[in-house]
């Protein structure tokens, strides 16, 4: 007769929870959520240099750093600052830039993979914030991105994350994210 | 009769060494090393935003960016500088902050996965140092982290690494690491 | 009789193209390209701290952050600036530093894996540019790297990429890349 300690049972449960993909949003599939939330996606971003925007290796999809496009295709620019001067933006505007990063990612994924319902989960996000020296609330800016991901993909929209403050970003864009997703490819 | 050149044999040996996981510390398992080194781990860090701290995909474990927690749970703050002014810290203190990053990672791993002996190796470390412009010794700060990893995990504690200087980090923390580990899951 | 919509056929083609490795350079294998382009590789870089330069996990090869070595082993230093002052470098010199990053990577790969023809593709590049605050052309610097990768590996040399501006880099080097490659190991 085998005996398993309560500690081992607890560890088993902990690891099974850690290793399983989290659930999608209970209110609908990602494609349905984009419709229900009436999200206005910007045009798909174009690469700002000599690189690819999407690379798939097995079930992982690597996404190149992308900027906060708006519905008209323009990009939100300027450093984020607690006390914005000429050419800078406020924390609240930075949070909106973060949300724009999310809309831009959705646009790129739809264009490049055809169907958001192939997303299993967000694995990893590296968030860059173009900000003044000593800016503290990088997380507030990137939360704008993460909140949208959770609205669309549910708990599966949250991966690991870093949110760091940069001396500069390409063309003075306000923020940038670099993302890794896990996919369930239809083909 | 087949002949293999000396070059091919050398390449074979090189690649086998590269692709194998390095050995753990000869003096004991990671759990044992934490005890033997009398490491005082801080409380497990809490996420500083809308994200997960750990995501497992197959045998890879992605760890969110974490800061240098101290035993009382407070976080080491201030830019690292060769000539620290009010509110800044020295290179030596920065090295201690790097070590604190390592202790914080151990605490998170124990809390989130239950058992450090599941770690096969550190794969990749991205070290961010909150520093004054033109600060040169980012590596000294992140060496504080890497030395602790080697003390606990032996050669398996050393992965690839970058150590870069940031305009700012969340809440003015002095340093941050984002880590990928390879695991041998018990369950 | 089964009917597949034109939309599904288009999605199938899109995903097959996305998931396949891109072709190598039509003019020759990577080893041959290095010869044909008469590339002068610098000596293999040494780790600038407590870490490994290469870690292989399955068919992925993680490469530690590396700097722009020149043929004599010296490293290109100084911030990149639109209007370079004493100790800084121009955008054009920054582009050359990007190319030097590529030559340094080739040198490290040859030294550490023996044979460039094992590279299937570049998966991901994180490019750090040591620059003045508000510098906008981080992409021009890292394009120097990417263009060399495309010259040597063809379309397979282009992965996803971010190119971001840093407050500082180790020992004031001008730029740094951190790379993930997919490999077809001979052994």
């Amino acid at each position: 007769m085998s005996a398993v300690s309560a500690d081992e049972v607890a560890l088993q449960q902990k690891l099974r929870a850690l290793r399983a993909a989290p659930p999608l949003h209970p209110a609908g599939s990602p494609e349905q959520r984009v419709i229900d939330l009436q999200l206005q996606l910007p045009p798909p971003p174009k690469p700002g240099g000599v690189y690819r925007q999407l690379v798939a290796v097995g079930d992982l999809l690597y996404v190149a750093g992308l900027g906060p496009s708006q519905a008209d295709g323009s990009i939100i620019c300027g450093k984020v600052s607690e006390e914005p001067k000429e050419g800078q933006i406020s924390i609240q505007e930075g949070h909106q830039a973060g949300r724009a990063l999310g809309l831009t990612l959705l646009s790129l994924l739809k264009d490049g993979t055809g169907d958001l319902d192939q997303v299993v989960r967000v694995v990893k996000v590296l968030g860059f914030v173009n900000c003044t020296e000593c800016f503290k609330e990088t997380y507030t800016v990137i939360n704008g991105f993460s909140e949208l991901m959770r609205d669309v993909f549910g708990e599966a929209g949250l991966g690991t994350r870093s949110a760091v403050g940069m001396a500069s970003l390409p063309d003075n864009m306000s923020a940038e994210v670099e993302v890794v997703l896990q996919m369930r490819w239809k083909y």
Side-chain angles (χ1 to χ4, degrees), chain A:
Chain A
M1 188 183 130
S2 78
V4 178
S5 74
D7 279 2
E8 283 300 301
V9 171
L11 177 59
Q12 196 167 331
Q13 288 173 344
K14 184 192 291 262
L15 293 181
R16 288 198 175 147
L18 174 64
R19 299 181 63 197
L24 290 168
H25 202 288
S29 80
E31 286 285 343
Q32 190 59 47
R33 290 293 293 162
V34 168
I35 295 167
D36 291 350
L37 294 167
Q38 300 183 287
L39 300 180
Q40 300 293 319
L41 302 188
K46 292 187 167 45
V50 182
Y51 61 88
R52 276 168 213 288
Q53 293 183 293
L54 298 172
V55 169
V57 180
D59 63 349
L60 291 185
L61 180 64
Y62 293 83
V63 184
L66 47 78
S69 295
Q70 301 182 96
D72 65 0
S74 67
I75 291 177
I76 301 174
C77 287
K79 283 186 177 285
V80 190
S81 170
E82 275 104 349
E83 298 180 11
K85 296 176 190 164
E86 175 89 27
Q88 299 181 340
I89 69 174
S90 68
I91 294 181
Q92 188 56 38
E93 290 167 319
H95 184 265
Q96 284 301 110
R99 180 179 167 86
L101 291 173
L103 295 168
T104 307
L105 175 62
L106 294 175
S107 176
L108 176 62
L109 289 177
K110 277 184 77 77
D111 185 61
T113 73
D115 182 350
L116 296 177
D117 293 350
Q118 296 172 103
V119 172
V120 172
R121 69 186 303 177
V122 174
V123 171
K124 179 181 183 305
V125 175
L126 177 46
F128 304 109
V129 179
N130 185 3
C131 61
T132 51
E133 210 189 28
C134 297
F135 180 73
K136 293 180 181 172
E137 289 198 41
T138 50
Y139 40 87
T140 303
V141 176
I142 305 300
N143 277 353
F145 170 82
S146 302
E147 287 156 8
L148 183 74
M149 291 298 104
R150 188 175 53 188
D151 285 345
V152 171
F153 297 106
E155 288 302 308
L158 301 185
T160 65
R161 197 185 87 181
S162 302
V164 295
M166 310 308 291
S168 80
L169 288 177
D171 287 333
N172 199 29
M173 59 173 66
S174 297
E176 179 174 345
V177 281
E178 182 188 283
V179 183
V180 182
L181 301 148
Q182 189 178 9
M183 307 292 285
R184 188 181 295 110
W185 298 112
K186 285 182 79 170
Y187 301 106

